[in-house]
Amino acid sequence: MRFGIRTLDDFDVRGKTVLCRIDINQPVDRATGKLKSTNRIRACVPTVRELSEKGARTVLMAHQGSDIEYKNYYTTKPHAAVLSEYLGFEVKWIEDVCGPLARQAVKDLKDGEVLLLDNVRFMAEEQTLFETKLCLTHEEQARTQVVSKLAPLGDLYVCDAFAAAHRDQPTLCGFEQLLPSAMGRLFEKEYCTVSSLMEEPQRPCVFVLGGAKISDAFLMMRTVLSKGSADKVLTGGLVANIFLASQGVGIGSGSMDFIMKSNYGGFIDVARELYAQYGDRIVLPSDLAWVDGGERVEGRLGAIPEEISAVDIGSRTASVYREEILAAKTVFVNGPAGVFEQEPSELGTREIWQALADTDAFTVLGGGDSITATEKYGLMDRIGYVCTGGGALIRFLSGEELPVVKALRHGATIGE
Ligand code: 3PG
């Protein structure tokens, strides 16, 4: 037991059916549905291998979203193939979450075998994201289809999804109401490491918030600014564009259309309000980049052509951010500064990441895209701590109890 949560050391899993929630949500190519990275799949290997080697019948539950938040969901079939490769044995996969096919596949499992169910977010009830205010209590989550159909087949629930520990959803918080529960090895490592890190962050403490998960980024920004954890927040990506728009700065009609089409228009008001309150600690870009005829073009604010779509921060901004990062003692990063996957729009992210490698500050980085960028620039060994969680990490840093941690503590009282 650590932090009031049981670990795998507390259970003999041989011959037991273990329902294990993992987070293998990876960046996905929207056009092809192909995984752009597999780092989170690799990260959950120790737990799955341990369960299998100890003779458990392991049922894996996971979600896979897309790179534009909660609009698209993809099958977990490719993940089973990747996981099989990492483990060196077959991970079975079934095109069902908790229906008769899935339940039969669970019952058919033999000791040591592993089954991955299809994307749990294909179930509407799993989409009880706190952002959409469709909140269910943990007791209500225990009565959902997914939990009430699968829990009777399981002996133990294991959560290894630290990266999703900020989500209050049935496969994350419902099973703990019914089954003895434990955290998996990855969850244990991430939770314990980050807890000890956060006891006394050294100041100045700088947050770099970018990426495309806008609701996450705004929620986190408000929290770290209002609680005082952030001395400065450097903005990049879509987050920065929304802030600039909120200040009436021209960011190009393409950028504005994207914000509006993605239903992020409401965040412009949120950004205005945040900037009015914390403007002295929120750093906005002074220049932006866009692509014209395949080439990168940059412009200062006030001189951005009307028709462009901004895809990166400009090089002046990148230099300012570099200086901030070099002067900091602690830096937390969540989300890239632009579309770093493509050469003309990668400069901002590349420069920030190089600064993370060069600074003496303790650097903590989290989230799928951030890890992908770290791998791309070959900097995995030069970051202080790389966490699979993005939103979960920042929410945790805000000092709030994560819903999954609360549920696992409850699960520690079951079957005693
Ligand atoms: C993440 O990518 O941060 C986690 O997998 C949670 O995903 P979500 O933001 O789609 O809930």
Side-chain angles (χ1 to χ4, degrees), residues 23 25 40 63 70 121 163 166-167 213:
D23 189 336
N25 187 26
R40 279 186 177 164
H63 71 280
Y70 314 108
R121 286 194 189 166
H166 57 316
R167 299 303 185 210
K213 284 197 171 175

Side-chain angles (χ1 to χ4, degrees), residues 23-26 40 63-66 69-70 73 121 129 131 163-167 169 213 216 367-368 388-392:
D23 189 336
I24 46 176
N25 187 26
Q26 299 279 191
R40 279 186 177 164
H63 71 280
Q64 174 61 62
S66 78
E69 288 211 321
Y70 314 108
Y73 294 105
R121 286 194 189 166
L129 300 172
E131 291 86 352
H166 57 316
R167 299 303 185 210
Q169 298 167 348
K213 284 197 171 175
D216 243 7
T388 59

Side-chain angles (χ1 to χ4, degrees), residues 136-179:
L136 297 179
T137 65
H138 292 178
E139 293 74 19
E140 288 164 341
Q141 290 178 24
R143 293 196 288 274
T144 56
Q145 282 281 304
V146 68
V147 179
S148 60
K149 295 287 184 198
L150 293 177
L153 307 178
D155 300 295
L156 170 68
Y157 172 78
V158 170
C159 187
D160 211 25
F162 181 76
H166 57 316
R167 299 303 185 210
D168 212 336
Q169 298 167 348
T171 63
L172 290 157
C173 302
F175 287 101
E176 292 95 324
Q177 306 302 309
L178 306 172
L179 292 175

